[in-house]
Amino acid sequence: MKVLMFEFLAVLIALLIWASADLPDRADPEAPANQHLSPDLTRLTESDVVIPNLVSAILADFRSYDTLGETFVIFTAGLAVVLVLQRSRRVREEENPDE
Amino acid sequence: MIWWLELSLFGLLVVAALIALSVRDMIAAVATLSVYSFLAAVLLALMGAVDVALTEAALGAGVTGVFLIGAISVVERRTPD
Amino acid sequence: MNDRYDSVILHFIARVFLVPLILVFGVYVLLHGELSPGGGFQAGAIVAAALLLVRLALGNRQAALRIPQGLLIWLACIGLGIYMFGGILPLILGYNFLDYAPIPVDWYNQFAGEARTARSMGILIIEIGVFFGVAAVLVLIYDLVAGSSRQ
């Protein structure tokens, strides 16, 4: 079973390396990903949001609804963990009756 | 970019992932997973994505390892697989 | 993992050197979120890592930096409330939700002697909100998971 897994992983690695030959270079301004929206966001950050960190400008200003949803997701995860793992007062008294 | 540095980091990344898959002791697997996350953070910082690297180093290499150790202390430490 | 691991070197390094350093670095990452790499999420994770380091090194029953569970839930709620405040404040002043342009910054610039724009002030407000939410939730999850392993 383990040999099968490693063979599968080797095939997957070969496939990914073969596919990565077609990708554009890193930080290539002519790449398709940098053609559509990035110039507008960079220009708006320089003119409207006057801060040096482009990532913070996108995360907290242009896409602040996404960050709001992310905060809600983390908060909901915390509440779910509290509801699942919290020991109620009755269970605690049953385990330690002398407290 | 220093291409041999990145290549050796990628090699270490694959080695750390394979060790984390194959080791029996789960605490050792968690430690190797933290090493994997830290190497991934270094690679991301080399690629210029410093924000993602900071998140990966703080969450992936720090907090996730602590959470997994906390979960292991509840269940069995050694895995039969 | 609930017990104290008795090692003088570990206690000294964790309590005197590492934890204050990580806490200060976390606050630095939060306050310089729009100038340098970082932001609310990363700062919350770093501060939570410092608090978890205290719990790992000194045991769960130590007295230092122990935050009660109700306060942690309240901190997460307050973080979300700060975020919603940063969104609703422009709504009250007649702009769109989460559009930071009308946030008043003149009093802050006079008080702190900076030249901060309204948009960077709004980014700082919502990053403080994200910071409280993330840090409180991470510490809360660890406290519950490690507390449930008590036999």
Side-chain angles (χ1 to χ4, degrees), chain A residues 3-34:
Chain A
V3 179
L4 198 66
M5 181 186 77
F6 282 117
E7 280 176 2
F8 173 71
L9 284 180
V11 171
L12 190 66
I13 287 172
L15 199 66
L16 286 176
I17 288 176
W18 175 70
S20 71
D22 283 343
L23 288 179
D25 283 343
R26 234 153 43 206
D28 183 14
E30 305 296 323
N34 293 335

Side-chain angles (χ1 to χ4, degrees), chain C residues 81-141:
Chain C
I82 291 174
Y83 200 120
M84 292 304 283
F85 169 75
I88 290 177
L89 184 63
L91 207 60
I92 295 173
L93 296 176
Y95 279 65
N96 284 328
F97 186 64
L98 285 170
D99 184 5
Y100 312 128
I103 292 180
V105 285
D106 288 338
W107 63 272
Y108 176 79
N109 283 339
Q110 281 184 354
F111 170 69
E114 293 181 28
R116 194 179 271 277
T117 59
R119 290 197 169 269
S120 69
M121 193 70 197
I123 289 175
L124 182 66
I125 289 174
I126 71 162
E127 274 182 352
I128 288 173
V130 174
F131 166 76
F132 277 114
V134 170
V137 164
L138 286 179
V139 176
L140 181 66
I141 291 177

